[in-house]
Amino acid sequence: MTKPSFFKVAAIGGTAAWLAVFALLPFLLILVVSFLARDPSSFVSPSFSLEGYATIADGAFLRIFLDSLAWAATTAAACLLLGYPFAYGLARLRTKRKNLFLLLIIIPFWTNSLIRTYALIFILKAQGLLNTLLLGLGLVDQPLEILYTDTAVLVGLIYTLLPFMILPLYSSIEKLDPRLLEAAKDLGAGRFRAFFAVSLPLTWPGILAGTMLTFLPALGMFYVADVLGGAKSLLIGNFIKNQFLTARDWPTGSAASVVLTGIMILLLLLYGGSGKGAPRKPEDIGA
């Protein structure tokens, strides 16, 4: 039996220790707090209680939860519609500008997303860049009221999460063999039929990965709604933040966090199961 190298053992052990301390332990603390009673003086008292779960079982939380799912689904769908053509064109580029475009997609990751969200205010406000441009072109007679509306929140979510859709799509599309599309056209398939019969099935893993990478963060990205929606759009992330920082109701905030984590794990399991049946080779689509 081959003896494992010191570097391999250290890397695996270090990663496991990091996950245990910074991921598993905080979640266990949240799980424990969710089953404790609320205490205004010390946030929680060491007595068992299901009050936190009873609070989120109320219809108001269910409405916030359904609204958050709708926001996340809309964001993921918009990112897919915008990201797929962009990723397709980028993957088909055969010039040196391809690396430049990839760099432009990655550059936003070098800046804190909260700072980039604040920067959107200068674009969307009444005297911002967008309204100045529209007024200058004569497309509108008066400034559009976009900031502190649901539209601004949706723009912020799409702007923040779009790179997470483009990159996995680009990775899948770049692996697509162009000869398969040429063969489909030689057999009489039009451009759209070739896309739906060849390109779409073989890039399905990238679509699934991009959808999960945009849908799940959109559920908890509370600061976008706070900054661009003026706290008018209450998402599940805002609800959890308010319970911890404003209402000082840690058991309810912890219970909502546990429920949200459970939903994310369920969606990841569904994603893993759906990925197993996705076509990965030309033979899988009968090519």
Side-chain angles (χ1 to χ4, degrees):
M1 179 179 293
T2 305
K3 187 177 181 179
S5 65
F6 172 77
F7 177 77
K8 185 176 181 180
V9 173
I12 295 175
T15 303
W18 190 92
L19 289 174
V21 173
F22 295 106
L24 182 60
L25 182 59
F27 177 73
L28 291 177
L29 290 174
I30 290 293
L31 183 62
V32 171
V33 171
S34 70
F35 289 105
L36 298 179
R38 182 186 181 190
D39 186 344
S41 60
S42 58
F43 302 121
V44 292
S45 64
S47 56
F48 178 79
S49 174
L50 294 176
E51 183 181 352
Y53 289 95
T55 302
I56 64 172
D58 184 74
F61 176 79
L62 181 61
R63 187 172 62 253
I64 294 172
F65 174 69
L66 293 177
D67 287 344
S68 299
L69 286 179
W71 277 101
T74 304
T75 301
C79 286
L80 179 60
L81 291 176
L82 293 172
Y84 200 100
F86 186 89
Y88 197 95
L90 184 62
R92 292 290 173 253
L93 274 180
R94 291 293 178 264
T95 66
K96 294 181 180 179
R97 285 180 294 180
K98 182 176 184 176
N99 292 332
L100 175 62
F101 283 119
L102 279 174
L103 180 64
L104 293 176
I105 295 172
I106 296 172
I107 280 178
F109 291 110
W110 299 349
T111 307
N112 187 284
S113 58
L114 179 59
I115 296 175
R116 286 187 281 121
T117 302
Y118 273 107
L120 280 178
I121 293 177
F122 294 96
I123 299 176
L124 301 178
K125 67 180 183 179
Q127 293 79 31
L129 182 62
L130 179 62
N131 275 316
T132 301
L133 181 63
L134 293 176
L135 290 170
L137 294 174
L139 298 178
V140 295
D141 298 328
Q142 55 185 356
L144 300 177
E145 296 294 337
I146 301 175
L147 193 60
Y148 305 133
T149 64
D150 290 349
T151 302
V153 176
L154 186 60
V155 169
L157 289 173
I158 294 172
Y159 165 72
T160 304
L161 296 172
L162 186 59
F164 293 97
M165 176 66 78
I166 292 176
L167 292 177
L169 283 174
Y170 168 79
S171 178
S172 289
I173 295 171
E174 195 181 37
K175 298 174 184 174
L176 185 63
D177 191 343
R179 293 175 298 180
L180 295 174
L181 294 175
E182 295 174 3
K185 292 177 182 177
D186 291 342
L187 293 173
R191 180 172 299 180
F192 287 102
R193 187 173 180 182
F195 172 77
F196 285 105
V198 178
S199 300
L200 193 61
L202 290 178
T203 57
W204 189 245
I207 295 174
L208 285 177
T211 301
M212 296 305 294
L213 288 174
T214 52
F215 181 84
L216 294 180
L219 284 174
M221 201 165 279
F222 63 89
Y223 58 88
V224 175
D226 278 352
V227 174
L228 299 178
K232 297 177 182 175
S233 303
L234 187 61
L235 306 181
I236 189 170
N238 304 82
F239 176 83
I240 294 172
K241 184 207 70 172
N242 292 340
Q243 295 306 309
F244 280 104
L245 301 182
T246 305
R248 302 289 184 179
D249 189 351
W250 285 25
T252 299
S254 299
S257 300
V258 170
V259 171
L260 180 60
T261 304
I263 292 169
M264 288 183 173
I265 292 174
L266 178 62
L267 291 175
L268 286 173
L269 292 175
L270 291 175
Y271 163 68
S274 61
K276 292 178 181 177
R280 298 179 183 278
K281 300 178 181 178
E283 294 79 11
D284 296 333
I285 60 171

